[in-house]
Amino acid sequence: MHLVLAAGTPADLEALFDWLDGDADISVRRHLTPPEPGELGPLADALIVSVGAGGALTVLAASLRGFFQQPRRSKVKVSVRREADGAVTAEIDADRVRGADVEAMLARILDES
């Protein structure tokens, strides 16, 4: 299963990609949208994270907790949805979420499949 993560700004999305890509246990790739007329190239509008059996959810939750705890990340909001149906099923607000809540939110998204 794949989860799609979207952040509020392109800079937040790129920072999240760099953070997750630095974790060898997480498979993440950018979802690129074609450029609009007059733009030079495609932009990443979301990240695709592969989540499977065997603790991948725990690893992703721990990595997101670490990302949110960064001093400049306290205002980041990340929307999470399943790739299959596209419905936004959770928004994680770094300013309001407790560490344990991240894994519970991700688990709920996967259980609704």
XYZ file of all heavy atoms in Angstrom:
837
model
N 0.842 -1.166 0.000
C 0.000 0.000 0.000
C 0.887 1.228 0.000
O 1.988 1.220 0.522
C -0.903 0.002 1.234
C -1.708 1.276 1.371
S -2.828 1.291 2.765
C -4.053 0.162 2.171
N 0.364 2.281 -0.594
C 1.098 3.540 -0.643
C 0.299 4.628 0.049
O -0.920 4.687 -0.069
C 1.349 3.967 -2.092
C 2.116 2.967 -2.880
N 3.457 2.740 -2.681
C 1.733 2.129 -3.850
C 3.857 1.792 -3.515
N 2.820 1.400 -4.230
N 1.009 5.483 0.769
C 0.415 6.672 1.351
C 0.940 7.878 0.597
O 2.102 7.900 0.188
C 0.779 6.806 2.824
C 0.209 5.766 3.777
C 0.724 6.019 5.187
C -1.302 5.773 3.749
N 0.085 8.858 0.416
C 0.471 10.100 -0.239
C 0.540 11.175 0.834
O -0.425 11.383 1.574
C -0.548 10.493 -1.329
C -0.141 11.789 -1.990
C -0.673 9.376 -2.366
N 1.690 11.836 0.925
C 1.883 12.902 1.896
C 1.990 14.225 1.157
O 2.721 14.331 0.172
C 3.172 12.682 2.700
C 3.353 11.333 3.384
C 4.704 11.291 4.098
C 2.237 11.071 4.363
N 1.258 15.214 1.606
C 1.326 16.556 1.028
C 1.567 17.538 2.160
O 0.990 17.415 3.235
C 0.030 16.885 0.295
N 2.428 18.517 1.932
C 2.723 19.541 2.938
C 2.231 20.887 2.420
O 1.958 21.051 1.228
C 4.216 19.587 3.221
N 2.131 21.844 3.314
C 1.558 23.138 2.984
C 2.316 23.940 1.947
O 1.721 24.620 1.135
N 3.623 23.864 1.959
C 4.422 24.651 1.018
C 5.402 23.742 0.289
O 5.765 22.675 0.800
C 5.223 25.749 1.740
O 6.251 25.130 2.543
C 4.334 26.624 2.614
N 5.872 24.163 -0.893
C 6.891 23.365 -1.590
C 8.161 23.176 -0.751
O 8.765 22.111 -0.784
C 7.174 24.180 -2.865
C 5.911 24.934 -3.114
C 5.385 25.270 -1.732
N 8.528 24.192 0.016
C 9.729 24.075 0.852
C 9.526 23.018 1.942
O 10.439 22.235 2.230
C 10.068 25.425 1.481
N 8.332 22.995 2.549
C 8.040 21.975 3.561
C 8.047 20.585 2.946
O 8.551 19.632 3.540
C 6.679 22.222 4.218
C 6.670 23.434 5.132
O 7.756 23.860 5.580
O 5.564 23.943 5.396
N 7.490 20.465 1.739
C 7.441 19.167 1.069
C 8.849 18.683 0.751
O 9.179 17.512 0.963
C 6.597 19.256 -0.206
C 6.325 17.926 -0.888
C 5.436 17.037 -0.023
C 5.672 18.158 -2.243
N 9.696 19.574 0.279
C 11.070 19.189 -0.048
C 11.847 18.818 1.209
O 12.607 17.852 1.220
C 11.777 20.326 -0.796
C 13.083 19.915 -1.425
C 12.961 18.792 -2.451
O 11.919 18.639 -3.115
O 13.946 18.034 -2.598
N 11.626 19.557 2.290
C 12.286 19.226 3.558
C 11.823 17.862 4.064
O 12.635 17.064 4.558
C 12.005 20.311 4.599
N 10.524 17.579 3.928
C 9.993 16.278 4.345
C 10.575 15.162 3.482
O 10.951 14.108 3.991
C 8.463 16.279 4.270
C 7.758 14.999 4.705
C 8.126 14.610 6.129
C 6.243 15.165 4.561
N 10.685 15.393 2.175
C 11.296 14.389 1.297
C 12.730 14.104 1.744
O 13.130 12.944 1.874
C 11.283 14.837 -0.168
C 12.048 13.892 -1.052
C 11.453 12.718 -1.498
C 13.361 14.138 -1.410
C 12.157 11.817 -2.292
C 14.070 13.254 -2.200
C 13.462 12.087 -2.640
N 13.512 15.164 1.954
C 14.908 14.978 2.364
C 14.998 14.199 3.674
O 15.852 13.330 3.832
C 15.605 16.333 2.515
C 15.837 17.028 1.183
O 15.780 16.361 0.123
O 16.064 18.255 1.201
N 14.095 14.504 4.607
C 14.090 13.824 5.908
C 13.776 12.336 5.740
O 14.488 11.476 6.252
C 13.075 14.500 6.821
C 13.025 13.914 8.195
C 12.203 12.912 8.625
C 13.821 14.274 9.308
N 12.437 12.635 9.952
C 13.428 13.450 10.387
C 14.832 15.208 9.503
C 14.014 13.544 11.639
C 15.418 15.302 10.761
C 15.009 14.483 11.806
N 12.695 12.032 5.017
C 12.288 10.637 4.854
C 13.269 9.861 3.986
O 13.534 8.686 4.237
C 10.885 10.561 4.247
C 9.750 11.113 5.112
C 8.441 11.091 4.324
C 9.623 10.354 6.414
N 13.810 10.506 2.961
C 14.754 9.845 2.070
C 16.050 9.486 2.791
O 16.756 8.571 2.381
C 15.041 10.740 0.860
C 15.726 9.999 -0.267
O 15.291 8.869 -0.593
O 16.701 10.546 -0.830
N 16.344 10.190 3.865
C 17.538 9.897 4.648
C 17.403 8.672 5.537
O 18.372 8.222 6.130
N 16.190 8.113 5.610
C 15.934 6.921 6.419
C 15.944 5.703 5.499
O 15.071 5.561 4.645
C 14.584 7.048 7.125
C 14.359 5.980 8.168
O 14.824 4.832 7.969
O 13.715 6.282 9.176
N 16.917 4.834 5.688
C 17.070 3.672 4.804
C 15.883 2.713 4.862
O 15.670 1.926 3.937
C 18.354 2.922 5.162
N 15.077 2.796 5.909
C 13.943 1.886 6.069
C 12.656 2.407 5.429
O 11.623 1.744 5.501
C 13.686 1.613 7.554
C 14.835 0.859 8.195
O 15.421 -0.012 7.522
O 15.162 1.166 9.360
N 12.716 3.596 4.838
C 11.519 4.192 4.239
C 11.740 4.357 2.744
O 12.754 4.893 2.305
C 11.198 5.553 4.882
C 10.850 5.356 6.359
C 10.063 6.257 4.147
C 10.628 6.640 7.116
N 10.755 3.898 1.975
C 10.788 4.062 0.526
C 9.883 5.248 0.170
O 8.667 5.185 0.338
C 10.284 2.790 -0.161
O 10.167 2.995 -1.545
N 10.494 6.315 -0.301
C 9.742 7.533 -0.628
C 10.154 8.033 -2.018
O 11.309 7.906 -2.407
C 9.970 8.629 0.446
C 11.418 9.039 0.538
C 9.086 9.833 0.199
N 9.183 8.559 -2.739
C 9.478 9.173 -4.037
C 8.587 10.396 -4.214
O 7.549 10.522 -3.582
C 9.286 8.188 -5.176
C 7.889 7.660 -5.343
C 7.805 6.594 -6.453
N 6.555 5.886 -6.403
C 5.445 6.269 -7.016
N 5.447 7.357 -7.748
N 4.336 5.570 -6.906
N 9.035 11.286 -5.059
C 8.260 12.497 -5.337
C 7.188 12.191 -6.378
O 7.429 11.458 -7.330
C 9.164 13.587 -5.888
C 10.152 14.143 -4.906
C 11.043 15.170 -5.616
N 12.027 15.739 -4.742
C 13.276 15.285 -4.624
N 13.675 14.241 -5.327
N 14.124 15.866 -3.805
N 6.012 12.779 -6.209
C 4.971 12.753 -7.233
C 5.074 14.080 -7.971
O 4.914 15.147 -7.375
C 3.585 12.603 -6.603
C 2.495 12.610 -7.614
N 1.839 13.760 -7.964
C 1.965 11.625 -8.364
C 0.932 13.479 -8.891
N 1.004 12.187 -9.144
N 5.387 14.023 -9.251
C 5.613 15.241 -10.033
C 4.397 15.585 -10.872
O 3.759 14.707 -11.449
C 6.829 15.071 -10.943
C 8.152 14.764 -10.240
C 9.241 14.511 -11.265
C 8.549 15.887 -9.300
N 4.096 16.872 -10.950
C 3.029 17.339 -11.830
C 3.676 18.011 -13.034
O 4.724 18.646 -12.913
C 2.105 18.348 -11.127
O 2.890 19.424 -10.636
C 1.358 17.710 -9.986
N 3.063 17.870 -14.196
C 3.620 18.508 -15.384
C 3.661 20.028 -15.210
O 2.803 20.597 -14.519
C 2.651 18.124 -16.501
C 1.825 17.012 -15.955
C 1.847 17.127 -14.475
N 4.635 20.677 -15.843
C 4.724 22.137 -15.704
C 3.560 22.840 -16.414
O 3.053 22.361 -17.425
C 6.055 22.467 -16.371
C 6.322 21.338 -17.295
C 5.674 20.124 -16.678
N 3.169 23.952 -15.849
C 2.177 24.815 -16.483
C 2.873 25.588 -17.603
O 4.097 25.720 -17.608
C 1.602 25.797 -15.446
C 0.816 25.143 -14.336
C -0.498 24.555 -14.815
O -1.129 25.151 -15.711
O -0.886 23.489 -14.295
N 2.114 26.103 -18.550
C 2.732 26.933 -19.593
C 3.546 28.065 -18.971
O 3.084 28.739 -18.049
C 1.525 27.482 -20.367
C 0.449 26.473 -20.133
C 0.670 25.963 -18.734
N 4.766 28.199 -19.424
C 5.657 29.232 -18.915
C 6.546 28.775 -17.771
O 7.477 29.483 -17.393
N 6.285 27.595 -17.196
C 7.133 27.057 -16.137
C 8.255 26.238 -16.744
O 8.105 25.669 -17.825
C 6.321 26.197 -15.168
C 5.332 26.988 -14.341
C 4.541 26.109 -13.381
O 4.601 24.866 -13.496
O 3.854 26.677 -12.514
N 9.363 26.150 -16.044
C 10.539 25.483 -16.582
C 10.539 23.972 -16.423
O 11.180 23.275 -17.183
C 11.807 26.060 -15.938
C 12.072 27.535 -16.241
C 13.296 28.007 -15.491
C 12.251 27.748 -17.734
N 9.877 23.456 -15.453
C 9.915 22.011 -15.248
C 8.856 21.558 -14.276
O 8.136 22.367 -13.696
N 8.759 20.242 -14.099
C 7.734 19.708 -13.189
C 8.045 20.041 -11.728
O 9.199 20.232 -11.352
C 7.797 18.205 -13.429
C 9.168 17.963 -13.936
C 9.572 19.203 -14.687
N 6.987 20.107 -10.933
C 7.123 20.347 -9.502
C 6.597 19.145 -8.727
O 5.646 18.507 -9.155
C 6.315 21.575 -9.078
C 6.782 22.920 -9.602
C 5.789 24.001 -9.208
C 8.166 23.249 -9.073
N 7.212 18.891 -7.595
C 6.688 17.848 -6.708
C 5.508 18.437 -5.953
O 5.608 19.500 -5.361
C 7.767 17.380 -5.740
N 4.362 17.760 -6.035
C 3.193 18.238 -5.300
C 2.818 17.302 -4.162
O 1.934 17.606 -3.377
C 2.001 18.453 -6.225
C 1.506 17.174 -6.876
O 2.175 16.132 -6.747
O 0.439 17.212 -7.511
N 3.496 16.153 -4.090
C 3.220 15.187 -3.032
C 4.376 14.199 -2.965
O 5.208 14.135 -3.866
C 1.910 14.456 -3.308
N 4.386 13.431 -1.894
C 5.349 12.345 -1.735
C 4.583 11.044 -1.638
O 3.528 10.985 -1.012
C 6.182 12.539 -0.462
C 6.943 13.849 -0.339
C 7.666 13.901 1.002
C 7.919 14.030 -1.482
N 5.105 10.001 -2.261
C 4.510 8.675 -2.203
C 5.402 7.818 -1.304
O 6.590 7.667 -1.567
C 4.416 8.017 -3.605
C 3.812 8.955 -4.638
C 3.685 6.680 -3.513
C 2.384 9.340 -4.392
N 4.816 7.285 -0.250
C 5.552 6.454 0.697
C 4.959 5.052 0.659
O 3.745 4.884 0.799
C 5.473 7.021 2.130
C 6.226 6.126 3.103
C 6.010 8.440 2.170
N 5.805 4.060 0.443
C 5.356 2.662 0.454
C 5.266 2.181 1.888
O 6.210 2.337 2.670
C 6.328 1.777 -0.318
O 6.371 2.180 -1.668
N 4.115 1.620 2.227
C 3.898 1.106 3.579
C 3.432 -0.331 3.447
O 2.423 -0.611 2.813
C 2.819 1.931 4.323
C 2.598 1.375 5.710
C 3.225 3.391 4.389
N 4.184 -1.236 4.024
C 3.818 -2.643 3.958
C 3.801 -3.248 5.352
O 3.784 -2.553 6.358
N 3.831 -4.543 5.374
C 3.824 -5.270 6.646
C 5.202 -5.188 7.302
O 6.177 -4.797 6.677
C 3.439 -6.722 6.398
N 5.253 -5.580 8.545
C 6.545 -5.724 9.200
C 7.099 -4.472 9.835
O 8.295 -4.260 9.832
N 6.265 -3.610 10.337
C 6.758 -2.473 11.092
C 7.030 -1.217 10.300
O 7.548 -0.247 10.847
N 6.713 -1.196 9.006
C 6.958 0.000 8.193
C 6.179 1.198 8.728
O 6.655 2.328 8.692
C 6.602 -0.258 6.731
N 4.990 0.942 9.228
C 4.165 2.018 9.780
C 4.836 2.643 10.999
O 4.880 3.861 11.143
C 2.786 1.470 10.161
C 1.807 2.482 10.720
C 1.381 3.453 9.638
C 0.595 1.763 11.280
N 5.388 1.821 11.853
C 6.078 2.319 13.045
C 7.294 3.138 12.662
O 7.557 4.190 13.249
C 6.488 1.140 13.953
O 5.310 0.411 14.313
C 7.189 1.612 15.204
N 8.029 2.673 11.664
C 9.210 3.397 11.195
C 8.804 4.750 10.624
O 9.422 5.780 10.923
C 9.981 2.565 10.147
C 11.079 3.383 9.496
C 10.562 1.312 10.788
N 7.752 4.779 9.800
C 7.276 6.035 9.219
C 6.801 6.985 10.311
O 7.134 8.173 10.301
C 6.158 5.774 8.209
C 5.513 7.022 7.593
C 6.544 7.881 6.865
C 4.382 6.613 6.657
N 6.036 6.479 11.268
C 5.540 7.321 12.360
C 6.696 7.905 13.171
O 6.691 9.092 13.501
C 4.602 6.521 13.258
N 7.689 7.100 13.460
C 8.845 7.585 14.218
C 9.594 8.657 13.436
O 10.031 9.666 14.010
C 9.778 6.418 14.555
N 9.718 8.468 12.137
C 10.408 9.448 11.314
C 9.623 10.758 11.239
O 10.196 11.842 11.329
C 10.653 8.882 9.922
O 11.528 9.716 9.203
N 8.304 10.657 11.089
C 7.479 11.866 11.064
C 7.549 12.600 12.411
O 7.622 13.834 12.441
C 6.028 11.527 10.727
C 5.744 11.198 9.267
C 4.312 10.721 9.105
C 6.030 12.391 8.366
N 7.521 11.851 13.515
C 7.650 12.486 14.836
C 8.954 13.269 14.916
O 8.988 14.406 15.380
C 7.612 11.446 15.952
C 6.227 11.056 16.378
C 6.243 10.273 17.693
N 7.134 9.125 17.703
C 6.789 7.892 17.325
N 5.563 7.649 16.907
N 7.647 6.912 17.377
N 10.043 12.655 14.455
C 11.340 13.336 14.471
C 11.343 14.580 13.602
O 11.888 15.624 13.982
N 10.713 14.491 12.447
C 10.623 15.644 11.544
C 9.846 16.776 12.203
O 10.258 17.931 12.171
C 9.952 15.222 10.234
C 9.778 16.337 9.247
C 10.850 16.795 8.508
C 8.535 16.919 9.058
C 10.688 17.833 7.590
C 8.360 17.946 8.143
C 9.446 18.408 7.407
N 8.717 16.450 12.820
C 7.879 17.463 13.455
C 8.561 18.119 14.651
O 8.239 19.247 14.996
C 6.545 16.863 13.904
C 5.622 16.510 12.772
C 4.728 15.468 12.908
C 5.626 17.211 11.582
C 3.851 15.139 11.887
C 4.767 16.889 10.551
C 3.879 15.849 10.701
N 9.457 17.405 15.304
C 10.116 17.943 16.491
C 11.260 18.893 16.165
O 11.798 19.529 17.065
C 10.598 16.799 17.377
C 9.441 16.057 18.008
C 9.879 14.785 18.720
O 11.017 14.359 18.628
N 8.945 14.161 19.419
N 11.607 19.014 14.898
C 12.631 19.965 14.489
C 12.146 21.377 14.832
O 10.963 21.674 14.667
C 12.871 19.866 12.982
C 13.335 18.508 12.519
C 14.823 18.380 12.636
O 15.544 19.283 12.286
N 15.276 17.248 13.130
N 13.019 22.258 15.302
C 12.576 23.589 15.737
C 11.768 24.367 14.694
O 10.782 24.992 15.015
C 13.887 24.323 16.049
C 14.852 23.235 16.356
C 14.435 22.055 15.520
N 12.142 24.310 13.441
C 11.429 25.095 12.429
C 10.255 24.346 11.832
O 9.607 24.835 10.927
C 12.391 25.507 11.324
C 13.410 26.522 11.810
C 14.321 26.878 10.712
N 15.134 25.696 10.437
C 16.205 25.683 9.691
N 16.616 26.759 9.110
N 16.880 24.568 9.497
N 9.958 23.168 12.298
C 8.893 22.360 11.723
C 7.600 22.411 12.533
O 6.648 21.726 12.219
C 9.324 20.897 11.599
C 10.609 20.710 10.846
C 10.395 20.844 9.350
N 11.644 20.586 8.683
C 12.316 21.478 8.001
N 11.874 22.689 7.864
N 13.454 21.172 7.422
N 7.553 23.200 13.564
C 6.393 23.156 14.452
C 5.119 23.668 13.790
O 4.030 23.426 14.284
C 6.671 23.948 15.725
O 6.846 25.309 15.422
N 5.209 24.364 12.676
C 4.022 24.893 11.997
C 3.639 24.084 10.755
O 2.760 24.471 10.013
C 4.242 26.357 11.590
C 4.528 27.270 12.760
C 3.346 27.331 13.704
C 3.649 28.261 14.865
N 2.691 28.170 15.925
N 4.307 22.974 10.517
C 4.051 22.161 9.334
C 2.775 21.353 9.506
O 2.515 20.790 10.567
C 5.240 21.209 9.057
C 4.926 20.260 7.920
C 6.486 22.003 8.752
N 1.972 21.297 8.448
C 0.804 20.416 8.399
C 1.017 19.456 7.247
O 1.392 19.862 6.153
C -0.473 21.210 8.168
C -0.857 22.070 9.329
C -2.150 22.799 9.053
C -2.471 23.731 10.201
N -3.682 24.502 9.942
N 0.790 18.180 7.503
C 0.947 17.149 6.477
C -0.386 16.442 6.307
O -0.959 15.942 7.276
C 2.052 16.133 6.868
C 2.132 15.010 5.858
C 3.394 16.835 6.994
N -0.887 16.431 5.078
C -2.098 15.675 4.763
C -1.683 14.292 4.311
O -0.735 14.140 3.549
C -2.890 16.356 3.644
O -3.327 17.623 4.061
N -2.405 13.295 4.778
C -2.090 11.910 4.447
C -3.322 11.275 3.821
O -4.437 11.430 4.317
C -1.692 11.109 5.708
C -1.308 9.685 5.338
C -0.558 11.805 6.449
N -3.122 10.576 2.713
C -4.232 9.852 2.081
C -3.697 8.574 1.467
O -2.508 8.441 1.209
C -4.937 10.701 1.032
C -4.076 11.077 -0.154
C -4.839 11.983 -1.113
N -3.979 12.590 -2.085
C -3.657 12.057 -3.257
N -4.127 10.877 -3.579
N -2.871 12.685 -4.099
N -4.606 7.629 1.263
C -4.236 6.393 0.572
C -4.172 6.693 -0.920
O -5.024 7.391 -1.453
C -5.252 5.295 0.841
C -5.224 4.787 2.258
C -6.141 3.595 2.432
N -7.488 3.833 1.952
C -8.479 4.358 2.672
N -8.253 4.722 3.908
N -9.679 4.527 2.160
N -3.202 6.151 -1.590
C -3.054 6.396 -3.024
C -4.213 5.795 -3.808
O -4.663 6.358 -4.798
C -1.728 5.830 -3.525
C -1.438 6.199 -4.965
C -0.101 5.689 -5.424
O 0.243 4.535 -5.104
O 0.584 6.433 -6.124
N -4.738 4.676 -3.357
C -5.759 3.954 -4.113
C -7.035 4.768 -4.328
O -7.548 4.831 -5.431
C -6.107 2.644 -3.395
N -7.542 5.419 -3.282
C -8.818 6.115 -3.443
C -8.707 7.631 -3.424
O -9.640 8.321 -3.793
C -9.833 5.657 -2.392
C -9.345 5.887 -0.976
O -8.424 6.707 -0.771
O -9.873 5.244 -0.065
N -7.576 8.153 -2.995
C -7.336 9.580 -3.051
C -8.019 10.428 -1.999
O -7.831 11.628 -1.961
N -8.817 9.839 -1.129
C -9.504 10.626 -0.115
C -8.514 11.072 0.966
O -7.714 10.283 1.440
C -10.616 9.805 0.529
N -8.559 12.349 1.310
C -7.726 12.820 2.414
C -8.326 12.264 3.687
O -9.496 12.499 3.988
C -7.672 14.360 2.469
C -6.928 14.823 3.707
C -7.011 14.903 1.220
N -7.568 11.475 4.406
C -8.119 10.814 5.571
C -7.546 11.326 6.882
O -8.065 10.996 7.922
C -7.918 9.293 5.477
O -6.536 9.036 5.268
C -8.719 8.708 4.332
N -6.487 12.126 6.833
C -5.957 12.698 8.067
C -5.080 13.888 7.731
O -4.417 13.913 6.700
C -5.150 11.674 8.848
N -5.109 14.851 8.596
C -4.167 15.956 8.516
C -3.435 16.002 9.837
O -4.063 16.064 10.903
C -4.871 17.277 8.251
C -3.884 18.397 8.038
C -4.528 19.664 7.535
O -4.677 19.798 6.310
O -4.886 20.502 8.379
N -2.129 15.933 9.762
C -1.296 15.932 10.965
C -0.690 17.320 11.088
O 0.056 17.760 10.219
C -0.196 14.855 10.878
C -0.816 13.474 10.668
C 0.662 14.877 12.141
C 0.189 12.391 10.354
N -1.024 18.007 12.158
C -0.550 19.358 12.430
C 0.559 19.245 13.474
O 0.309 18.874 14.621
C -1.710 20.205 12.949
C -1.341 21.657 13.167
O -0.140 21.972 13.280
O -2.275 22.479 13.226
N 1.782 19.546 13.070
C 2.929 19.372 13.965
C 2.804 20.195 15.233
O 3.341 19.831 16.274
C 4.212 19.748 13.240
N 2.068 21.287 15.169
C 1.913 22.156 16.322
C 0.946 21.577 17.359
O 0.955 21.958 18.508
C 1.402 23.525 15.848
C 1.532 24.600 16.902
O 2.482 24.539 17.699
O 0.687 25.505 16.921
N 0.100 20.625 16.929
C -0.946 20.136 17.819
C -0.895 18.638 18.113
O -1.615 18.159 18.963
C -2.308 20.467 17.209
C -2.572 21.945 17.163
C -3.989 22.239 16.733
N -4.305 23.637 16.934
C -4.087 24.588 16.061
N -3.528 24.298 14.917
N -4.420 25.828 16.326
N -0.109 17.897 17.386
C -0.124 16.445 17.533
C 0.930 15.991 18.549
O 2.017 16.548 18.608
C 0.083 15.751 16.165
C 1.500 15.917 15.661
C -0.291 14.294 16.224
N 0.563 15.009 19.344
C 1.530 14.374 20.242
C 2.185 13.222 19.478
O 1.585 12.652 18.569
C 0.830 13.856 21.486
C 0.301 14.963 22.384
C -0.226 14.394 23.684
N -1.136 13.281 23.509
C -2.464 13.382 23.478
N -3.034 14.551 23.600
N -3.213 12.319 23.310
N 3.368 12.843 19.885
C 4.117 11.803 19.200
C 3.357 10.513 18.995
O 3.377 9.924 17.928
N 2.661 10.040 20.023
C 1.929 8.771 19.916
C 0.772 8.868 18.945
O 0.344 7.868 18.362
C 1.427 8.345 21.292
N 0.243 10.071 18.745
C -0.895 10.248 17.852
C -0.547 9.998 16.388
O -1.401 9.605 15.607
C -1.475 11.655 17.991
C -2.115 11.896 19.342
O -2.412 10.904 20.036
O -2.306 13.069 19.693
N 0.696 10.244 16.000
C 1.094 10.074 14.598
C 0.890 8.628 14.169
O 0.261 8.358 13.143
C 2.565 10.508 14.382
C 3.004 10.204 12.952
C 2.735 11.986 14.681
N 1.389 7.686 14.943
C 1.232 6.273 14.581
C -0.232 5.865 14.594
O -0.687 5.128 13.712
C 2.050 5.367 15.499
C 2.042 3.930 15.016
C 3.057 3.060 15.719
O 3.811 3.549 16.579
O 3.109 1.869 15.392
N -1.000 6.340 15.554
C -2.428 6.003 15.615
C -3.167 6.528 14.381
O -4.017 5.834 13.817
C -3.051 6.568 16.890
N -2.843 7.736 13.941
C -3.484 8.293 12.745
C -3.142 7.481 11.504
O -4.002 7.177 10.687
C -3.066 9.745 12.546
C -3.651 10.710 13.519
S -3.006 12.364 13.166
C -3.691 13.273 14.512
N -1.866 7.132 11.367
C -1.454 6.341 10.211
C -2.099 4.963 10.227
O -2.537 4.464 9.191
C 0.073 6.223 10.155
C 0.840 7.515 9.917
C 2.329 7.273 10.005
C 0.483 8.160 8.589
N -2.172 4.348 11.392
C -2.803 3.037 11.510
C -4.276 3.111 11.123
O -4.801 2.229 10.444
C -2.657 2.485 12.920
N -4.958 4.161 11.538
C -6.374 4.322 11.195
C -6.558 4.453 9.685
O -7.467 3.860 9.104
C -6.949 5.559 11.889
C -8.469 5.642 11.743
C -8.992 6.973 12.138
N -8.472 7.878 11.123
C -8.414 9.195 11.257
N -8.824 9.772 12.311
N -7.935 9.945 10.296
N -5.675 5.180 9.042
C -5.762 5.328 7.581
C -5.615 3.974 6.897
O -6.384 3.629 6.003
C -4.666 6.288 7.072
C -4.950 7.704 7.572
C -4.577 6.261 5.549
C -3.789 8.634 7.416
N -4.666 3.182 7.347
C -4.447 1.873 6.735
C -5.582 0.918 7.038
O -5.950 0.095 6.212
C -3.107 1.301 7.209
C -1.889 2.067 6.742
C -0.637 1.469 7.338
C -1.796 2.113 5.235
N -6.166 1.015 8.215
C -7.278 0.127 8.587
C -8.554 0.413 7.806
O -9.404 -0.445 7.665
C -7.586 0.245 10.087
C -6.524 -0.420 10.934
O -5.741 -1.225 10.388
O -6.462 -0.121 12.134
N -8.678 1.625 7.262
C -9.867 1.996 6.516
C -9.821 1.535 5.070
O -10.723 1.818 4.308
C -10.067 3.507 6.570
C -10.444 3.996 7.947
C -10.547 5.507 8.030
O -10.335 6.184 7.002
O -10.835 6.008 9.120
N -8.786 0.824 4.703
C -8.682 0.382 3.300
C -9.553 -0.803 3.009
O -10.066 -1.472 3.841
C -7.229 0.051 2.980
O -6.736 -0.951 3.818
